[in-house]
Amino acid sequence: MKAKPYVGITGVVNEQEVLAVMKEFENSGYTLKSRHLPMLGFLVSLKTLNGQETSNRRYPEFKNLRHLVERTKNKIFPMIHYNSKEKTTLSEQLDRLFYSLYNDNLCRAVQLNIIYPDIKEIAKTKEKMPNLQIVFQLSNSMIKGKTPKQLAKDIREYSDLVNYVLIDPSGGEGREFNLENSVDIYNEVKDNFPHLTIGFAGGFTGQNVAPRVKDIRDRIKSDDFCIDAERGLRDKVTDEYGDDLLNISEAKHYLQNSSVVLN
């Protein structure tokens, strides 16, 4: 069965933020029964998985992750956004990450923020956790210099193991994507892999989400796509990457304004 599209907010780090964002999802009409799932993204890296500290304010302490995910049960669609440079042991890392979350049916979705992860490692993970939904991220470094046809060719070997493809040239840095090029990629991936659900990320804010989502919908003649926001919903503390804080008011506007188009 094709995965359901979602509207996402990524980068919550504590219980207060989890509860506040869930309330705004509900107020905006996003539920587990709505056309688009309410997705809440939790950032984890190999570093935080190992219990090490990070200066990036978008990462919760790993010891608190299970508690945060538990608060979302039966209310929204939680997803781990995972990054690691250790590709050859990825399945072992995902085993550690999802050991209890998956078995206790608390979280069964992961976005791999990894440039072309080892296909054999993903296959190992799917063998152990067949119901784990996987988002394949097309990052800026993967998109740059390639045509949509070349990207579709790159995706082919992963297409039977993943559920989503996220066109994400921003990578959490808030850069707006080239809409025309991203739509071309969407169409190429959709034509080649109609069983995959495709999404867009990059620079969404409470102010621009409605016109940009409407533009996407009008171009592809469908609302069968995901969106995810991270940097555009945060206030800078300094110019250092990740040194920012979630703005609940901005998250509220993002959800309310997107729901006008998608709900």
Side-chain angles (χ1 to χ4, degrees), residues 26-46:
E26 183 180 7
N27 290 342
S28 300
Y30 292 112
T31 71
L32 294 177
K33 294 182 179 180
S34 60
R35 167 69 174 153
H36 287 74
L37 293 171
M39 186 279 281
L40 197 57
F42 299 90
L43 289 164
V44 180
S45 67
L46 179 57

Side-chain angles (χ1 to χ4, degrees), residues 20-31 38 75-76 255 263:
V21 173
M22 286 200 303
K23 179 181 178 181
E24 297 306 335
F25 270 124
E26 183 180 7
N27 290 342
S28 300
Y30 292 112
T31 71
K75 296 178 181 177
I76 62 168
L255 294 175
N263 271 348

Side-chain angles (χ1 to χ4, degrees), residues 37-73:
L37 293 171
M39 186 279 281
L40 197 57
F42 299 90
L43 289 164
V44 180
S45 67
L46 179 57
K47 183 177 181 179
T48 61
L49 177 63
N50 288 331
Q52 297 174 320
E53 293 184 0
T54 175
S55 60
N56 191 322
R57 295 177 186 260
R58 304 178 195 178
Y59 285 76
E61 289 188 62
F62 186 71
K63 65 182 181 180
N64 298 331
L65 181 64
R66 180 183 171 93
H67 172 70
L68 298 179
V69 173
E70 284 177 335
R71 298 311 304 263
T72 72
K73 190 171 184 179

Side-chain angles (χ1 to χ4, degrees), residues 110-127:
V110 63
Q111 177 175 310
L112 297 176
N113 296 339
I114 299 169
I115 298 173
Y116 297 114
D118 189 320
I119 191 71
K120 294 180 180 177
E121 291 296 296
I122 297 179
K124 287 180 186 177
T125 294
K126 288 291 283 189
E127 186 175 351

Side-chain angles (χ1 to χ4, degrees), residues 85-143:
K85 294 181 180 179
E86 302 293 334
K87 296 183 182 182
T88 58
T89 60
L90 179 60
S91 63
E92 296 174 15
Q93 296 167 47
L94 293 177
D95 283 350
R96 290 172 54 204
L97 176 54
F98 279 96
Y99 178 75
S100 64
L101 296 177
Y102 181 89
N103 290 330
D104 295 341
N105 199 21
L106 292 173
C107 180
R108 292 188 169 183
V110 63
Q111 177 175 310
L112 297 176
N113 296 339
I114 299 169
I115 298 173
Y116 297 114
D118 189 320
I119 191 71
K120 294 180 180 177
E121 291 296 296
I122 297 179
K124 287 180 186 177
T125 294
K126 288 291 283 189
E127 186 175 351
K128 293 180 180 179
M129 295 180 279
N131 294 319
L132 182 68
Q133 296 192 68
I134 298 177
V135 181
F136 182 89
Q137 182 203 42
L138 278 176
S139 62
N140 184 56
S141 61
M142 297 160 76
I143 293 171

